[in-house]
Amino acid sequence: MNIKQQRTESLLQEVLSLALSQLQDSQINTLIITGVKCSKGKQSAEVYIEGTDISPNERKAILEQLKKAQGILKEYVLNSTQWFRVPNLQFKFDDTLHCVNNLDSIFAQLEREKQKKE
Protein backbone atom coordinates (compact mmCIF):
# COMPACT_ATOMS: atom_id res chain seq x y z
CA MET A 1 0.00 0.00 0.00
CA ASN A 2 1.34 3.41 -0.86
CA ILE A 3 1.63 6.45 1.40
CA LYS A 4 -1.07 8.40 -0.42
CA GLN A 5 -3.64 5.66 0.17
CA GLN A 6 -2.62 5.35 3.82
CA ARG A 7 -3.09 9.09 4.28
CA THR A 8 -6.48 8.95 2.61
CA GLU A 9 -7.62 6.07 4.83
CA SER A 10 -6.31 7.76 7.97
CA LEU A 11 -8.00 11.07 7.13
CA LEU A 12 -11.25 9.32 6.25
CA GLN A 13 -11.18 7.44 9.56
CA GLU A 14 -10.62 10.66 11.51
CA VAL A 15 -13.28 12.66 9.67
CA LEU A 16 -15.88 9.87 9.83
CA SER A 17 -15.27 9.50 13.58
CA LEU A 18 -16.02 13.19 14.02
CA ALA A 19 -19.05 12.97 11.75
CA LEU A 20 -20.49 10.02 13.68
CA SER A 21 -20.01 11.77 17.01
CA GLN A 22 -22.09 14.73 15.82
CA LEU A 23 -25.12 12.69 14.76
CA GLN A 24 -28.26 12.85 16.90
CA ASP A 25 -28.77 9.07 17.01
CA SER A 26 -27.32 7.82 20.31
CA GLN A 27 -27.06 4.30 18.89
CA ILE A 28 -24.46 5.32 16.31
CA ASN A 29 -22.82 8.50 17.61
CA THR A 30 -20.76 6.53 20.15
CA LEU A 31 -19.41 3.96 17.69
CA ILE A 32 -15.64 3.63 17.40
CA ILE A 33 -14.11 3.35 13.94
CA THR A 34 -11.15 0.98 14.11
CA GLY A 35 -10.03 1.28 10.51
CA VAL A 36 -10.82 2.22 6.94
CA LYS A 37 -9.77 0.36 3.81
CA CYS A 38 -10.16 2.26 0.53
CA SER A 39 -10.18 0.69 -2.90
CA LYS A 40 -7.87 2.01 -5.57
CA GLY A 41 -9.20 5.25 -6.94
CA LYS A 42 -11.35 5.87 -3.85
CA GLN A 43 -14.44 4.31 -5.45
CA SER A 44 -15.42 2.57 -2.23
CA ALA A 45 -14.27 2.32 1.36
CA GLU A 46 -14.85 -0.34 3.97
CA VAL A 47 -15.29 1.29 7.36
CA TYR A 48 -14.62 -1.03 10.31
CA ILE A 49 -16.48 -0.44 13.56
CA GLU A 50 -15.65 -1.90 16.97
CA GLY A 51 -18.33 -4.50 17.59
CA THR A 52 -17.16 -6.57 20.55
CA ASP A 53 -20.07 -5.84 22.89
CA ILE A 54 -22.82 -5.46 20.29
CA SER A 55 -25.42 -8.21 19.86
CA PRO A 56 -26.36 -9.51 16.39
CA ASN A 57 -29.78 -7.81 16.54
CA GLU A 58 -28.21 -4.49 17.48
CA ARG A 59 -25.65 -4.89 14.70
CA LYS A 60 -28.37 -5.21 12.10
CA ALA A 61 -30.12 -2.08 13.40
CA ILE A 62 -26.88 -0.12 13.55
CA LEU A 63 -25.96 -1.04 9.98
CA GLU A 64 -29.41 0.13 8.84
CA GLN A 65 -28.97 3.44 10.66
CA LEU A 66 -25.52 3.93 9.14
CA LYS A 67 -26.91 3.20 5.70
CA LYS A 68 -29.57 5.88 6.22
CA ALA A 69 -26.98 8.37 7.50
CA GLN A 70 -24.56 7.77 4.62
CA GLY A 71 -25.61 10.93 2.77
CA ILE A 72 -25.00 13.09 5.83
CA LEU A 73 -21.66 11.40 6.46
CA LYS A 74 -20.53 11.87 2.86
CA GLU A 75 -21.51 15.54 2.94
CA TYR A 76 -19.53 16.00 6.17
CA VAL A 77 -16.48 14.35 4.60
CA LEU A 78 -16.76 16.54 1.49
CA ASN A 79 -16.96 19.72 3.56
CA SER A 80 -14.11 18.67 5.87
CA THR A 81 -11.65 17.42 3.26
CA GLN A 82 -12.45 19.50 0.18
CA TRP A 83 -12.27 16.32 -1.89
CA PHE A 84 -13.98 16.21 -5.25
CA ARG A 85 -15.71 12.93 -4.46
CA VAL A 86 -16.28 10.70 -1.43
CA PRO A 87 -16.08 6.91 -1.75
CA ASN A 88 -19.16 4.76 -1.23
CA LEU A 89 -19.07 3.72 2.40
CA GLN A 90 -19.59 0.12 3.44
CA PHE A 91 -19.76 -0.37 7.19
CA LYS A 92 -18.59 -3.62 8.76
CA PHE A 93 -18.03 -4.75 12.31
CA ASP A 94 -14.49 -5.42 13.47
CA ASP A 95 -14.34 -8.38 15.85
CA THR A 96 -10.55 -8.42 16.17
CA LEU A 97 -10.63 -7.46 19.85
CA HIS A 98 -13.06 -10.28 20.58
CA CYS A 99 -10.76 -12.78 18.81
CA VAL A 100 -7.72 -11.49 20.71
CA ASN A 101 -9.57 -11.84 24.02
CA ASN A 102 -10.52 -15.41 23.10
CA LEU A 103 -6.92 -16.25 22.25
CA ASP A 104 -5.72 -14.72 25.52
CA SER A 105 -8.14 -16.86 27.51
CA ILE A 106 -7.08 -19.99 25.59
CA PHE A 107 -3.39 -19.28 26.29
CA ALA A 108 -4.15 -18.64 29.96
CA GLN A 109 -6.02 -21.96 30.16
CA LEU A 110 -3.12 -23.78 28.50
CA GLU A 111 -0.70 -22.20 30.96
CA ARG A 112 -2.84 -23.32 33.93
CA GLU A 113 -3.00 -26.87 32.57
CA LYS A 114 0.75 -26.88 32.05
CA GLN A 115 1.34 -25.75 35.65
CA LYS A 116 -0.98 -28.50 36.97
CA LYS A 117 1.07 -31.17 35.20
CA GLU A 118 4.34 -29.92 36.69
Side-chain angles (χ1 to χ4, degrees):
M1 179 184 327
N2 63 32
I3 296 291
K4 186 176 180 180
Q5 186 170 357
Q6 287 177 338
R7 285 184 188 154
T8 299
E9 292 171 354
S10 177
L11 179 60
L12 193 55
Q13 180 176 348
E14 182 180 326
V15 171
L16 283 173
S17 292
L18 287 171
L20 283 178
S21 70
Q22 295 183 11
L23 293 176
Q24 298 298 318
D25 189 340
S26 62
Q27 192 174 26
I28 60 176
N29 66 5
T30 57
L31 294 174
I32 299 169
I33 297 176
T34 59
V36 175
K37 179 72 176 149
C38 290
S39 65
K40 285 188 176 182
K42 282 197 307 189
Q43 295 295 324
S44 64
E46 293 178 345
V47 181
Y48 295 96
I49 300 165
E50 172 56 46
T52 303
D53 297 327
I54 302 174
S55 72
N57 289 339
E58 287 178 302
R59 286 178 179 218
K60 191 179 277 188
I62 288 171
L63 290 176
E64 284 297 317
Q65 292 297 328
L66 288 170
K67 195 173 187 179
K68 289 178 184 177
Q70 194 167 146
I72 296 168
L73 297 173
K74 284 178 138 183
E75 185 177 333
Y76 188 92
V77 171
L78 277 176
N79 291 334
S80 298
T81 62
Q82 302 299 315
W83 288 347
F84 178 72
R85 172 176 40 103
V86 177
N88 291 323
L89 305 173
Q90 299 170 344
F91 293 93
K92 298 181 176 190
F93 284 97
D94 182 3
D95 292 320
T96 305
L97 184 60
H98 180 67
C99 294
V100 168
N101 288 340
N102 282 346
L103 284 175
D104 286 344
S105 65
I106 290 170
F107 288 135
Q109 182 181 359
L110 289 172
E111 184 64 29
R112 285 190 300 271
E113 289 176 10
K114 180 181 174 185
Q115 288 176 355
K116 285 180 184 179
K117 289 181 180 179
E118 293 177 347

